[in-house]
């Protein structure tokens, strides 16, 4: 590893994380659109989840298009046009998708709305294929997972803000008492978002981001990349399923929460946004906690920051909701649940496989608790799933592409393809809800977490057989 890779390249990392913010903003905003579209277009719970299906299946379609183009041109598309140019191109594609919200809102067309979301996510697919391995590569491998966790924390700043802004655009101020929804009002925030996409595309084009990260160049001739394809690595194959079920449980838990709160607890649609915001803020809380190691090697300072970071993120959530004039009283007790996250993070000792195992078990406990209780206790339990999903993406991604070398971008594309789990699992939970009830439907998420427990156990042995031991890497980094 070259000398400049000893520390994180913050000058390149900071502009990169802007795209992570956008992914979160749009993904979490979908949870507000789902109940709005359900009422406006008179949809069943299963049909309303087509919002998630259209958005997340686009990731798969985008990855397939990427692989077809790479095959037809006999070369990896991203390696040829460069990582930076690929990011800019992805942002332009997403901007084109936001333009469809204007005619869709004016005509009240549900299919056109879905088409706009599909194209936005199509651009996100290319962005994610580039940005995730790039975040890992902009510094030492020992803190690659933590760096991706930090980028995820910025992503969840977007998920915290997104539902509040979109809800405000549709319903106006909570204090106004407005309960009328306007489909036409959806177009304004998305057109503004499209303009932001184009602005960031220009900024990234002229940033110092590398066209090809040095870490990938260095490993192209490495013995660990001697296999002919990324699909020859079992950690990737099993990791693809893990990404599918992880994104599935993360998205479906949130996207079905509005229906649960409306049907079982009597909440009004416009009053649910702060709780959706809390769910996605929970991912931010967990990711800020998990990113501590990316900032310092000082073990004592890390212990202090592990307590400061999550409550700082929780403070951001409270501050944003205070600014939006929401009642904060229901949320203070959540500070106690955050202690469980801190203890679990410390127990993982920075090992992504161990963290995946511990947090997946806690996810199962949270869902079963929510299913076994009623009232606000169940809401807090379902919301805490966000805490335990928070570091799973970087854990799975890091474990799945470890040792792939020159096949890293190909492996990344396969993983991004599996983001479609967010749509498929959400639809499946919606269908189970229609067949039984919304409360029982969360059993789907329990099954997803169960597979993640299996993957965490299995991948450790697979990587050790390839000479990759994260306990040694982490201890060597200190």
């Amino acid at each position: 590893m070259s000398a400049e890779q000893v520390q994180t390249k913050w000058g390149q990392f900071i502009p990169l994380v802007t795209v992570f913010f956008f992914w979160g903003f749009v993904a979490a905003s979908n949870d507000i659109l789902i109940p709005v579209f359900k009422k406006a277009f008179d949809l069943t719970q299963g049909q309303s989840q087509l919002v998630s299906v259209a958005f997340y299946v686009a990731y798969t379609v985008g990855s397939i298009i990427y692989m077809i183009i790479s095959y037809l041109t006999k070369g990896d598309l991203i390696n040829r046009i460069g990582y930076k140019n690929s990011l800019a191109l992805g942002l332009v594609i997403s901007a084109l998708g936001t333009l469809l919200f204007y005619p869709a809102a004016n005509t009240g067309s549900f299919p056109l709305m879905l088409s706009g979301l599909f194209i936005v996510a199509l651009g996100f697919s290319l962005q994610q294929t580039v940005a995730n391995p790039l975040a890992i590569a902009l510094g030492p491998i020992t803190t690659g997972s933590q760096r991706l966790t930090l980028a995820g924390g910025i992503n969840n700043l977007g998920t915290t803000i997104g539902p509040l802004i979109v809800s405000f655009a549709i319903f106006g101020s909570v204090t106004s008492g407005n309960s009328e929804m306007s489909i036409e009002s959806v177009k304004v925030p998305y057109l503004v978002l499209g303009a932001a996409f184009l602005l960031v595309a220009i900024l990234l084009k002229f940033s110092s981001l590398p066209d090809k990260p040095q870490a990938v160049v260095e490993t192209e001739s490495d013995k660990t990349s001697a296999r002919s394809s990324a699909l020859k690595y079992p950690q990737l194959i099993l990791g693809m399923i893990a990404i599918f079920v992880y994104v599935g449980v993360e998205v479906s838990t949130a996207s079905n929460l509005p229906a649960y709160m409306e049907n079982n607890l009597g909440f009004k649609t416009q009053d649910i946004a702060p709780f959706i915001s809390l769910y996605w803020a929970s991912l931010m809380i967990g990711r800020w906690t998990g990113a501590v190691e990316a900032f310092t090697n000082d073990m004592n300072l890390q212990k202090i920051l592990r307590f400061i970071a999550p409550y700082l993120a929780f403070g951001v959530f409270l501050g944003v909701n205070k600014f939006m004039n929401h009642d904060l009283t229901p949320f203070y007790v959540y500070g106690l649940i955050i202690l469980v996250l801190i203890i679990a993070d410390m127990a993982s000792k920075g090992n992504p496989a161990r963290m995946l195992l511990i947090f997946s078990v806690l996810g199962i406990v949270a869902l079963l608790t929510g299913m076994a209780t009623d009232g606000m206790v169940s809401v807090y339990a379902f919301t805490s799933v966000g805490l335990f999903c928070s570091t799973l993406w970087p854990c799975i991604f890091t474990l799945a592409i470890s040792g792939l070398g020159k096949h890293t971008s190909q492996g990344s594309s396969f993983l991004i393809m599996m983001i479609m789990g967010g749509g498929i699992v959400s639809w499946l939970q919606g269908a189970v809800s229609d067949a039984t009830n919304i409360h029982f439907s969360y059993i789907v998420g329990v099954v997803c977490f169960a597979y993640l427990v299996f993957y965490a156990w299995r991948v450790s042995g697979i990587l050790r057989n390839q000479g990759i031991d994260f306990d040694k890497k982490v201890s060597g980094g200190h």
Side-chain angles (χ1 to χ4, degrees):
M1 183 166 290
S2 56
E4 64 268 22
Q5 287 294 90
V6 173
Q7 294 183 335
T8 298
K9 298 179 179 178
W10 294 110
Q12 298 174 355
F13 182 79
I14 291 172
L16 173 66
V17 296
T18 55
V19 294
F20 284 80
F21 175 87
F22 288 141
W23 306 338
F25 186 101
V26 176
S29 298
N30 290 344
D31 296 331
I32 298 300
L33 296 182
I34 286 170
V36 169
F37 288 170
K38 182 181 178 181
K39 289 187 176 180
F41 300 113
D42 193 24
L43 308 173
T44 67
Q45 182 64 14
Q47 290 171 333
S48 71
Q49 294 301 317
L50 288 175
V51 171
S52 294
V53 173
F55 186 76
Y56 289 100
V57 167
Y59 281 93
T60 302
V61 175
S63 294
I64 292 173
I65 292 173
Y66 159 74
M67 286 187 287
I68 290 175
I69 293 175
S70 295
Y71 175 78
L72 293 177
T73 57
K74 294 180 171 54
D76 187 278
L77 175 65
I78 292 173
N79 285 341
R80 185 162 57 253
I81 69 176
Y83 277 58
K84 183 162 58 175
N85 289 333
S86 298
L87 274 177
L89 176 60
L91 284 161
V92 170
I93 293 172
S94 294
L96 293 175
T98 62
L99 293 178
L100 281 182
F101 277 83
Y102 192 86
N106 286 341
T107 59
S109 171
F110 184 52
L112 207 53
M113 286 280 188
L114 295 180
S115 299
L117 281 173
F118 181 86
I119 295 174
V120 169
L122 207 59
F124 284 0
S125 174
L126 179 56
Q127 295 168 42
Q128 290 238 27
T129 301
V130 175
N132 283 284
L134 191 55
I136 295 173
L138 293 179
I141 185 63
T142 52
T143 54
S145 175
Q146 285 77 19
R147 206 158 32 254
L148 192 53
T149 300
L150 176 59
I154 303 301
N155 170 278
N156 292 119
L157 182 59
T159 61
T160 302
I161 296 172
L164 300 174
I165 291 180
V166 172
S167 179
F168 181 84
I170 296 173
F171 298 109
S173 172
V174 172
T175 56
S176 69
N178 179 29
S179 61
E180 296 299 318
M181 61 184 72
S182 171
I183 292 296
E184 286 195 25
S185 62
V186 170
K187 64 188 177 186
V188 177
Y190 283 89
L191 289 176
V192 172
L193 196 61
F197 288 156
L198 293 176
L199 177 61
V200 173
I202 295 171
L203 293 176
L204 286 177
K205 174 66 178 174
F206 294 101
S207 73
S208 62
L209 277 174
D211 284 324
K212 193 172 184 182
Q214 187 64 27
V216 175
V217 175
E218 288 176 343
T219 55
E220 284 191 354
S221 60
D222 190 78
K223 64 179 180 180
T224 59
S225 61
R227 305 185 193 192
S228 59
S229 166
L231 293 177
K232 299 292 184 180
Y233 294 84
Q235 64 264 40
L236 177 68
I237 298 296
L238 295 176
M240 289 168 63
I241 302 173
I243 287 289
F244 181 94
V245 298
Y246 152 68
V247 179
V249 67
E250 178 188 276
V251 173
S252 65
T253 300
S255 62
N256 285 281
L257 188 58
Y260 171 71
M261 295 180 69
E262 286 178 346
N263 298 341
N264 290 41
L265 305 181
F267 275 73
K268 295 180 179 178
T269 304
Q270 67 270 23
D271 295 330
I272 293 173
F275 293 92
I276 296 298
S277 175
L278 177 61
Y279 177 85
W280 293 106
S282 295
L283 279 99
M284 177 174 68
I285 291 166
R287 286 169 178 171
W288 284 25
T289 307
V292 163
E293 289 185 44
F295 288 100
T296 178
N297 288 336
D298 187 320
M299 299 299 287
N300 291 326
L301 182 57
Q302 284 182 17
K303 291 177 182 178
I304 296 172
L305 290 177
R306 276 195 169 92
F307 281 90
I308 295 176
Y311 287 106
L312 182 63
F314 187 46
V316 170
F317 161 78
L318 293 174
V320 170
N321 276 272
K322 180 67 175 177
F323 179 77
M324 301 295 289
N325 292 319
H326 293 137
D327 180 17
L328 302 183
T329 306
F331 305 120
Y332 293 129
V333 69
Y334 203 70
L336 296 176
I337 303 176
I338 294 174
L339 285 174
V340 178
L341 167 80
I342 296 172
I343 295 170
D345 181 69
M346 295 175 69
S348 72
K349 298 179 181 178
N351 182 309
R354 188 181 297 115
M355 181 175 285
L356 178 60
L357 177 64
I358 294 172
F359 278 56
S360 296
V361 169
L362 288 173
I364 292 173
V365 172
L367 284 176
L368 291 178
T369 300
M371 293 172 64
T373 58
D374 292 302
M376 290 306 298
V377 173
S378 63
V379 173
Y380 293 135
F382 289 140
T383 304
S384 71
V385 171
L387 289 175
F388 308 127
C389 279
S390 60
T391 61
L392 300 193
W393 171 275
C395 288
I396 298 168
F397 210 95
T398 302
L399 292 166
I401 68 171
S402 289
L404 266 61
K406 67 180 180 181
H407 301 302
T408 298
S409 61
Q410 183 187 48
S412 175
S413 179
F414 282 123
L415 291 173
I416 299 306
M417 179 189 301
M418 304 310 287
I419 291 177
M420 67 177 174
I424 304 300
V425 175
S426 293
W427 170 82
L428 178 61
Q429 185 175 346
V432 172
S433 172
D434 289 335
T436 57
N437 61 71
I438 190 70
H439 210 171
F440 177 77
S441 72
Y442 279 94
I443 191 67
V444 173
V446 174
V447 175
C448 291
F449 275 125
Y451 175 82
L452 294 178
V453 171
F454 163 76
Y455 179 66
W457 167 76
R458 185 72 183 90
V459 76
S460 297
I462 292 172
L463 292 177
R464 274 196 300 270
N465 289 337
Q466 297 176 18
I468 301 171
D469 191 329
F470 277 93
D471 277 323
K472 290 181 180 178
K473 285 187 174 185
V474 170
S475 62
H478 298 309

